[in-house]
Amino acid sequence: MKHITSRDNAQYKELSKLATNSQARRKAGRSLLDGVHLCETWIELRGHPEQAIVAEGALQNPEVAAIIARLEAEHAHVLCLTDQLYHAVSQVEHGVGLMFLIATPQKDVPQALAVNAVLLDNVQDPGNVGSILRSAAAAGVKEVYCAPGTAFCWSPKVLRAAMGAHFVLDIYENVDLEQLVQGAQIATLATSGYAAEQLYQLDLKRPVAWIFGHEGQGVSDALLSNATHRVIVPHLGKVESLNVAACAAVCFFEQVRQNLT
């Protein structure tokens, strides 16, 4: 375990930049997982991080101590910061004092949509994106494609909202969704508050690609016109529409329901 006590340490400066600057994380191809749950889930599903970062005081926490002991026994890299230095870089208020530095998973975009997928067209709120990822993973969706303008999936807020869903999904960012939809080998379902086809009329006992759009503007006209189905989630209350994350959850679990019956 390496100890750092000075802000002037070069390794600490690099960590600080990654923790506080989204552009730096994108450029470096690295992300930070903050908290016991995310770190434990990463170990179980993906293995060792590039580096574990722990606050000195957090070593008294039994959960944190167990994770660090396991990593050290397996010769993983562990960096211990003074509490003051750690909390200066952590983006979680009142966090437990444990972060993992990881290489952001990246894969080549498949040639065509062929399995259950979700396409996010300019969904900008990190909480919504994280919630959609969490629901997608729980419903057995395998792939997530994000258009430019969608919240960065590996940002701290999205990671916290998704609660580890990232680690069981294949996530692709900055994707040309229109081209992807045009070449799809499966049905593509664009949600819209003005569609005529109701969710519960669809046959979902097959792979489909769900398309969800911007919180205010919805799915773009280009994607709506290229999708094989334009779908509305019917509701009885006097509200204009569902929140996009709630809409996604309803759609995913209607597919789950149909496949269980």
Side-chain angles (χ1 to χ4, degrees), residues 4-14 85:
I4 292 180
T5 59
S6 171
R7 292 180 183 273
D8 295 326
N9 179 279
Q11 195 170 4
Y12 179 76
K13 287 181 177 180
E14 182 62 26
L85 290 182

PDB file of all heavy atoms in Angstrom, residues 4-14 85:
ATOM      1  N   ILE A   4       0.023   8.621   0.386  1.00  0.00           N
ATOM      2  CA  ILE A   4       0.241   9.973  -0.123  1.00  0.00           C
ATOM      3  C   ILE A   4      -0.296  10.976   0.891  1.00  0.00           C
ATOM      4  O   ILE A   4      -1.454  10.863   1.338  1.00  0.00           O
ATOM      5  CB  ILE A   4      -0.434  10.171  -1.488  1.00  0.00           C
ATOM      6  CG1 ILE A   4       0.258   9.325  -2.556  1.00  0.00           C
ATOM      7  CG2 ILE A   4      -0.410  11.646  -1.910  1.00  0.00           C
ATOM      8  CD1 ILE A   4      -0.344   9.451  -3.941  1.00  0.00           C
ATOM      9  N   THR A   5       0.530  11.949   1.225  1.00  0.00           N
ATOM     10  CA  THR A   5       0.146  12.940   2.236  1.00  0.00           C
ATOM     11  C   THR A   5       0.238  14.371   1.716  1.00  0.00           C
ATOM     12  O   THR A   5      -0.090  15.306   2.434  1.00  0.00           O
ATOM     13  CB  THR A   5       1.049  12.808   3.480  1.00  0.00           C
ATOM     14  OG1 THR A   5       2.413  13.010   3.092  1.00  0.00           O
ATOM     15  CG2 THR A   5       0.898  11.433   4.120  1.00  0.00           C
ATOM     16  N   SER A   6       0.666  14.551   0.460  1.00  0.00           N
ATOM     17  CA  SER A   6       0.877  15.900  -0.078  1.00  0.00           C
ATOM     18  C   SER A   6       0.062  16.129  -1.343  1.00  0.00           C
ATOM     19  O   SER A   6       0.006  15.260  -2.230  1.00  0.00           O
ATOM     20  CB  SER A   6       2.355  16.125  -0.387  1.00  0.00           C
ATOM     21  OG  SER A   6       2.544  17.338  -1.092  1.00  0.00           O
ATOM     22  N   ARG A   7      -0.545  17.305  -1.448  1.00  0.00           N
ATOM     23  CA  ARG A   7      -1.268  17.691  -2.655  1.00  0.00           C
ATOM     24  C   ARG A   7      -0.336  17.831  -3.854  1.00  0.00           C
ATOM     25  O   ARG A   7      -0.781  17.813  -5.000  1.00  0.00           O
ATOM     26  CB  ARG A   7      -1.986  19.025  -2.439  1.00  0.00           C
ATOM     27  CG  ARG A   7      -3.133  18.969  -1.459  1.00  0.00           C
ATOM     28  CD  ARG A   7      -3.774  20.343  -1.312  1.00  0.00           C
ATOM     29  NE  ARG A   7      -4.843  20.323  -0.325  1.00  0.00           N
ATOM     30  CZ  ARG A   7      -6.105  20.002  -0.611  1.00  0.00           C
ATOM     31  NH1 ARG A   7      -6.437  19.705  -1.859  1.00  0.00           N
ATOM     32  NH2 ARG A   7      -7.033  20.000   0.330  1.00  0.00           N
ATOM     33  N   ASP A   8       0.954  18.013  -3.604  1.00  0.00           N
ATOM     34  CA  ASP A   8       1.918  18.223  -4.675  1.00  0.00           C
ATOM     35  C   ASP A   8       2.387  16.925  -5.322  1.00  0.00           C
ATOM     36  O   ASP A   8       3.122  16.950  -6.311  1.00  0.00           O
ATOM     37  CB  ASP A   8       3.132  18.988  -4.142  1.00  0.00           C
ATOM     38  CG  ASP A   8       2.772  20.387  -3.687  1.00  0.00           C
ATOM     39  OD1 ASP A   8       1.868  20.989  -4.310  1.00  0.00           O
ATOM     40  OD2 ASP A   8       3.378  20.872  -2.717  1.00  0.00           O
ATOM     41  N   ASN A   9       1.961  15.810  -4.778  1.00  0.00           N
ATOM     42  CA  ASN A   9       2.334  14.522  -5.349  1.00  0.00           C
ATOM     43  C   ASN A   9       1.754  14.410  -6.774  1.00  0.00           C
ATOM     44  O   ASN A   9       0.565  14.669  -7.004  1.00  0.00           O
ATOM     45  CB  ASN A   9       1.792  13.398  -4.462  1.00  0.00           C
ATOM     46  CG  ASN A   9       2.107  12.026  -5.001  1.00  0.00           C
ATOM     47  OD1 ASN A   9       1.427  11.530  -5.891  1.00  0.00           O
ATOM     48  ND2 ASN A   9       3.129  11.391  -4.440  1.00  0.00           N
ATOM     49  N   ALA A  10       2.596  14.014  -7.719  1.00  0.00           N
ATOM     50  CA  ALA A  10       2.172  13.956  -9.121  1.00  0.00           C
ATOM     51  C   ALA A  10       1.020  12.972  -9.336  1.00  0.00           C
ATOM     52  O   ALA A  10       0.089  13.238 -10.109  1.00  0.00           O
ATOM     53  CB  ALA A  10       3.359  13.564 -10.003  1.00  0.00           C
ATOM     54  N   GLN A  11       1.064  11.854  -8.646  1.00  0.00           N
ATOM     55  CA  GLN A  11       0.007  10.860  -8.788  1.00  0.00           C
ATOM     56  C   GLN A  11      -1.315  11.404  -8.244  1.00  0.00           C
ATOM     57  O   GLN A  11      -2.383  11.176  -8.823  1.00  0.00           O
ATOM     58  CB  GLN A  11       0.407   9.580  -8.046  1.00  0.00           C
ATOM     59  CG  GLN A  11      -0.425   8.372  -8.413  1.00  0.00           C
ATOM     60  CD  GLN A  11       0.159   7.094  -7.841  1.00  0.00           C
ATOM     61  OE1 GLN A  11       1.139   7.104  -7.107  1.00  0.00           O
ATOM     62  NE2 GLN A  11      -0.455   5.969  -8.173  1.00  0.00           N
ATOM     63  N   TYR A  12      -1.232  12.157  -7.155  1.00  0.00           N
ATOM     64  CA  TYR A  12      -2.440  12.745  -6.581  1.00  0.00           C
ATOM     65  C   TYR A  12      -3.016  13.807  -7.518  1.00  0.00           C
ATOM     66  O   TYR A  12      -4.239  13.902  -7.683  1.00  0.00           O
ATOM     67  CB  TYR A  12      -2.142  13.365  -5.215  1.00  0.00           C
ATOM     68  CG  TYR A  12      -3.368  14.008  -4.598  1.00  0.00           C
ATOM     69  CD1 TYR A  12      -4.369  13.224  -4.025  1.00  0.00           C
ATOM     70  CD2 TYR A  12      -3.537  15.389  -4.610  1.00  0.00           C
ATOM     71  CE1 TYR A  12      -5.498  13.797  -3.479  1.00  0.00           C
ATOM     72  CE2 TYR A  12      -4.665  15.968  -4.065  1.00  0.00           C
ATOM     73  CZ  TYR A  12      -5.646  15.168  -3.498  1.00  0.00           C
ATOM     74  OH  TYR A  12      -6.774  15.752  -2.965  1.00  0.00           O
ATOM     75  N   LYS A  13      -2.159  14.604  -8.127  1.00  0.00           N
ATOM     76  CA  LYS A  13      -2.632  15.631  -9.055  1.00  0.00           C
ATOM     77  C   LYS A  13      -3.378  15.006 -10.224  1.00  0.00           C
ATOM     78  O   LYS A  13      -4.413  15.520 -10.663  1.00  0.00           O
ATOM     79  CB  LYS A  13      -1.444  16.463  -9.568  1.00  0.00           C
ATOM     80  CG  LYS A  13      -0.857  17.421  -8.543  1.00  0.00           C
ATOM     81  CD  LYS A  13       0.286  18.220  -9.157  1.00  0.00           C
ATOM     82  CE  LYS A  13       0.841  19.232  -8.166  1.00  0.00           C
ATOM     83  NZ  LYS A  13       1.962  20.020  -8.753  1.00  0.00           N
ATOM     84  N   GLU A  14      -2.863  13.894 -10.741  1.00  0.00           N
ATOM     85  CA  GLU A  14      -3.526  13.205 -11.842  1.00  0.00           C
ATOM     86  C   GLU A  14      -4.871  12.642 -11.402  1.00  0.00           C
ATOM     87  O   GLU A  14      -5.875  12.737 -12.127  1.00  0.00           O
ATOM     88  CB  GLU A  14      -2.635  12.076 -12.359  1.00  0.00           C
ATOM     89  CG  GLU A  14      -3.202  11.299 -13.540  1.00  0.00           C
ATOM     90  CD  GLU A  14      -3.409  12.163 -14.772  1.00  0.00           C
ATOM     91  OE1 GLU A  14      -2.709  13.186 -14.917  1.00  0.00           O
ATOM     92  OE2 GLU A  14      -4.273  11.805 -15.594  1.00  0.00           O
ATOM     93  N   LEU A  85      -7.080  14.758   1.887  1.00  0.00           N
ATOM     94  CA  LEU A  85      -6.807  14.628   0.457  1.00  0.00           C
ATOM     95  C   LEU A  85      -7.880  13.806  -0.246  1.00  0.00           C
ATOM     96  O   LEU A  85      -8.320  14.131  -1.350  1.00  0.00           O
ATOM     97  CB  LEU A  85      -5.435  13.980   0.240  1.00  0.00           C
ATOM     98  CG  LEU A  85      -4.204  14.812   0.602  1.00  0.00           C
ATOM     99  CD1 LEU A  85      -2.928  14.035   0.282  1.00  0.00           C
ATOM    100  CD2 LEU A  85      -4.201  16.150  -0.135  1.00  0.00           C
TER     101      LEU A  85
END
